[in-house]
Amino acid sequence: MTMITDITSIDNAPLTGECLEKLDAYWRAANYLSVGQLYLCDNPLLEEPLKIEHLKKMQLGHWGTTPGQNFIYTHLNRIINRYDLNMLYISGPGHGGPAVAAGTYLEGTYSEVYPEVSQDRAGMKNLFKRFSFPGGVSSHASPQTPGSMHEGGELGYSLSHAFGAVLDNPDLIAACVVGDGEAETGPLATAWHSNKFLNPITDGAVLPILHLNGYKISNPTVLARIPHIELEQLFHGYGYFPLFVEGSDPAIMHQAMAAALEQAVHFLKQIKYNAIEHPGQERPKWPMIILNSPKGWTGPKVVDGKQIEGTFRSHQIPLTVSESSPESHLQMLESWMKSYRPGELFDTNGCLKKEIAEIAPKGNRRMGANAHTNGGLLLRELVLPDFQKYAVNVDHPGITGEGDVHVTGRFLRDVISLNPQNFRVFGPDETVSNKLEAIFETTSRQWNADINVNDEYLAPEGRVMEMLSEHQCEGWLEGYLLTGRHGLFNCYEAFIHIVDSMFNQHAKWLKMTREIPWRRKIASLNILLTSTVWRQDHNGFTHQDPGFIDHVINKKSEIVRVYLPPDSNCLLSVMAHCLGSKHYVNVMVAGKHPSPQWLSMDEAVVHCSRGIGVWDWASNDQDCEPDIVMACCGDVPTLETLAAVSILREHFPDLKIRVVNVVDLLKLERQSSHPHGLNDHDFDALFTVNKPVIFAFHGYPWLIHRLTYNRTNNNNIHVRGYKEEGTITTSFDMTVLNEMDRFHLVMDVIDRLPDLGSKGLYLKQNLMDKLVEHKQYINVNGEDMPEIRNWRWKA
């Protein structure tokens, strides 16, 4: 490897006359195609005078960001060819979908995945008509667009996705366009700090391109209205070296953009060289480009006396053309499209002229054909150790364990060892707090900022990515998965809600890509939720919320899975299954504190494979119908249910009790609603058709009612769960506050079985007294009563 020449030697006007003309022609072609997508359904080459019948009845889409993105895409093509770069394109302002579609159409990839959108007159017509049209493609850079690995419908995640994409991809450059409106979102503002986590040797590079065009839908953007020096200092402070490209004259802007990209690539090569040849140097300043161009550049300047170009009015459709609009609007649209001189760009068949098409890279160097944007093409199976080797020895149900997540940490440690280049763990500063510290026996947290003597587990290279931003961790992981790798996100249960919307967008991406034949399946998004509602006694009410699973099950059934393993061996089985799966969102909820262990590994494997089942060892209805069904889902609900069963068995030995445990929450749905759901016959065999069911659930109780509303015995199902009651108290008292403790469960049974008579009423009164006594004991001693604190399962 040779040293790169000094950056100051780069020509500030690197384009020759011929090259400049071709670049400008290519950009004009992209702009022409973009306007056509917004407006036309016929007459694509304007071979006859434009008429109203050539236009779409509804004109939908975004123009303001599109010409700037076309400009960027065109120049990235040139720099890819010049340096043979492996580059993908992320459109942060993804609502500028016409730009990505135009870019991939001109380079040929769009036609390869959609043969009906051929590179001729008929194909161009199809390209125009299908955009934002019923049965066609969305106006965003959606999964339907080749080269897209980032849905631009919701803003804020582009830069996190870009950095996630280049982790463990040392030769990949992610060119990430950040809209200046998008830059105002919390996730994007945080994502600038991702450069402190990048390893220049083992990871690729991100080239952020801040598209500063001044406006959002109807307001100016913050970054466009601060002084130039303040903007420059801001990004220097973030650890970047900003290269400015500013203006509106195309000839000047082409030269400036070409020079900025030359400088940026030389910077990136220099950073790689220094990291390899001179390890241990201080963290580099990564290049970025700030493109300041007019919003709606090259579009209508004034319409009906109002300024359009360079204002918020160009954000969406800048010129309304319909039967009811002034006739001059149709003429303006035709003049606008003809200003790109389509006759110079396309031949008589509608194909881009060869001398202009040379601008585009070839083969997989085309950004629309980069395999990383269809990550399933690159996906390698995860090498998983035998999870049964990590089993907890359960010689009898109810032994105390060391913490379910703690046990799984050893399994994940070895997953990392076996997959040193395609598996990472992501989390917001909670890997140790969540009892996954065994991971650090084999890896470190990746960190490229300063390291002090008292720091732990920090190194320039590591398989754990931590930053105190759930948005950032989720975005990194999504970018990592979308480009063909595997990972796990661990998080406090209450704060996973921060990424509700990010999960929502990723789940939609997975759903859409399942329906696109040329898209390949990627590894599942695996989320481990711990520090759960029932064990947040010292943090209190703010840390108590199990509602993420309610949000998850709203998504399509072919995408989402929710697991609540009751003990360590079940969590090991579930974790191994989820890590080996593809194209799902798997949510696992498990406790990290020492808790009872119920099943041997052999029993756990069988139970988790079924997802739901009767625990015969805790039941006594083997030879008859039960009098009562005690159901549970989640580790603490399982504990409280079995404690309740112990009390019932002691006081009512003839009472026939069936204990049903649920690991796979969506087993409760009907088979017609979810592929894991039970058919009615199997559901009734577990829960009966007419017996009372007392169901202790980890989350909000109405979720169980929602999942079982159409079952035969629904009217007899009584659910106890989290009722939004919490404070700083003991963990058992948390169950009491929400009436999901063993005493309330027993009282529920007594209320539903009047045949228990006076003995039942007497026990109920005793239990109510016990609750009062317990509360008084807590107030004095700050802990649970000994008989509760030392409870063990009694068969």
Side-chain angles (χ1 to χ4, degrees), residues 39 51-59 319-330 333:
Y39 288 95
K51 302 175 183 176
I52 287 293
E53 52 263 35
H54 298 149
L55 273 58
K56 296 175 180 178
K57 298 295 184 183
M58 292 186 66
Q59 295 143 21
L319 174 66
T320 301
V321 187
S322 66
E323 292 179 349
S324 59
S325 63
E327 185 176 343
S328 61
H329 285 202
L330 180 64
L333 174 60

Side-chain angles (χ1 to χ4, degrees), residues 397-398 535 596 598 615 617-618 630-632 635-651 657 659 696 732 735 740-747 749 763 767 787-795:
R535 289 292 184 265
W598 308 109
W615 281 3
W617 53 267
M630 303 293 287
C632 47
D635 52 1
V636 171
T638 298
L639 164 63
E640 293 306 312
T641 294
L642 291 175
V645 170
S646 287
I647 296 171
L648 290 167
R649 294 278 289 276
E650 178 184 351
H651 289 84
I657 304 171
V659 175
F732 176 72
T735 64
M740 196 204 68
D741 61 281
R742 59 202 65 173
F743 301 148
H744 278 96
L745 295 176
V746 171
M747 288 189 282
V749 173
L763 176 59
L767 295 179
E787 58 264 41
I788 292 172
R789 201 164 61 247
N790 302 322
W791 179 85
R792 296 289 183 274
W793 160 253
K794 305 178 187 68

Side-chain angles (χ1 to χ4, degrees), residues 650-680:
E650 178 184 351
H651 289 84
F652 307 104
D654 294 331
L655 185 66
K656 298 301 181 181
I657 304 171
R658 176 180 297 171
V659 175
V660 176
N661 183 265
V662 181
V663 178
D664 181 346
L665 180 62
L666 290 165
K667 282 288 182 181
L668 299 177
E669 283 226 84
R670 272 188 161 170
Q671 198 172 49
S672 57
S673 300
H674 193 280
H676 286 195
L678 293 177
N679 61 44
D680 286 337

Side-chain angles (χ1 to χ4, degrees), residues 151-224:
E151 164 65 70
E154 182 180 350
L155 303 179
Y157 315 136
S158 60
L159 203 53
S160 298
H161 284 167
F163 278 96
V166 303
L167 294 174
D168 299 321
N169 272 326
D171 73 329
L172 181 65
I173 301 174
C176 180
V177 181
V178 177
D180 51 353
E182 179 189 25
E184 296 175 10
T185 65
L188 198 289
T190 301
W192 293 112
H193 289 297
S194 296
N195 57 5
K196 287 82 173 176
F197 298 85
L198 212 58
N199 185 309
I201 299 175
T202 58
D203 301 326
V206 174
L207 178 61
I209 303 172
L210 176 62
H211 190 196
L212 203 69
N213 62 22
Y215 291 91
K216 306 183 284 283
I217 293 177
S218 57
N219 278 290
T221 58
V222 172
L223 294 183

Side-chain angles (χ1 to χ4, degrees), residues 498-741:
I498 293 170
V499 301
D500 274 3
S501 192
M502 295 185 75
F503 149 77
N504 182 56
Q505 297 300 323
H506 189 76
K508 290 177 182 295
W509 179 279
L510 294 177
K511 189 263 185 186
M512 290 182 69
T513 52
R514 280 177 63 95
E515 301 166 3
I516 300 172
W518 53 269
R519 287 281 184 184
R520 297 293 180 264
K521 288 184 177 181
I522 62 173
S524 296
L525 170 59
N526 297 306
I527 301 174
L528 172 62
L529 301 183
T530 187
S531 298
T532 62
V533 57
W534 305 109
R535 289 292 184 265
Q536 280 296 316
D537 33 339
H538 71 290
N539 279 320
F541 197 36
T542 58
H543 285 55
Q544 298 161 1
D545 190 319
F548 183 68
I549 53 181
D550 298 62
H551 179 54
V552 168
I553 68 167
N554 290 330
K555 300 299 113 184
K556 296 295 290 186
S557 62
E558 64 265 28
I559 298 300
V560 294
R561 307 287 186 265
V562 178
Y563 300 98
L564 294 101
D567 65 6
S568 296
N569 288 334
C570 289
L571 178 57
L572 284 167
S573 179
V574 166
M575 180 65 71
H577 168 75
C578 291
L579 292 184
S581 69
K582 294 178 183 176
H583 228 72
Y584 298 138
V585 176
N586 296 310
V587 178
M588 296 164 273
V589 185
K592 67 184 183 182
H593 296 291
S595 59
Q597 303 298 297
W598 308 109
L599 303 181
S600 70
M601 179 53 77
D602 288 344
E603 292 169 333
V605 169
V606 172
H607 183 50
C608 293
S609 297
R610 292 174 177 165
I612 188 172
V614 175
W615 281 3
D616 287 328
W617 53 267
S619 309
N620 65 346
D621 70 323
Q622 288 83 357
D623 57 351
C624 61
E625 272 281 287
D627 298 311
I628 192 85
V629 177
M630 303 293 287
C632 47
C633 182
D635 52 1
V636 171
T638 298
L639 164 63
E640 293 306 312
T641 294
L642 291 175
V645 170
S646 287
I647 296 171
L648 290 167
R649 294 278 289 276
E650 178 184 351
H651 289 84
F652 307 104
D654 294 331
L655 185 66
K656 298 301 181 181
I657 304 171
R658 176 180 297 171
V659 175
V660 176
N661 183 265
V662 181
V663 178
D664 181 346
L665 180 62
L666 290 165
K667 282 288 182 181
L668 299 177
E669 283 226 84
R670 272 188 161 170
Q671 198 172 49
S672 57
S673 300
H674 193 280
H676 286 195
L678 293 177
N679 61 44
D680 286 337
H681 177 271
D682 290 342
F683 188 92
D684 292 343
L686 287 172
F687 293 99
T688 78
V689 295
N690 58 5
K691 302 297 183 182
V693 178
I694 309 300
F695 201 126
F697 177 52
H698 175 87
Y700 292 103
W702 44 83
L703 179 55
I704 299 300
H705 289 299
R706 174 183 167 190
L707 293 173
T708 61
Y709 78 96
N710 54 5
R711 298 294 192 174
T712 305
N713 200 28
N714 175 59
N715 288 338
N716 281 320
I717 297 176
H718 177 69
V719 186
R720 292 288 189 180
Y722 185 63
K723 296 170 60 178
E724 204 63 23
E725 292 291 341
T727 184
I728 295 175
T729 185
T730 69
S731 54
F732 176 72
D733 194 46
M734 269 296 298
T735 64
V736 174
L737 285 173
N738 290 279
E739 299 181 345
M740 196 204 68
D741 61 281

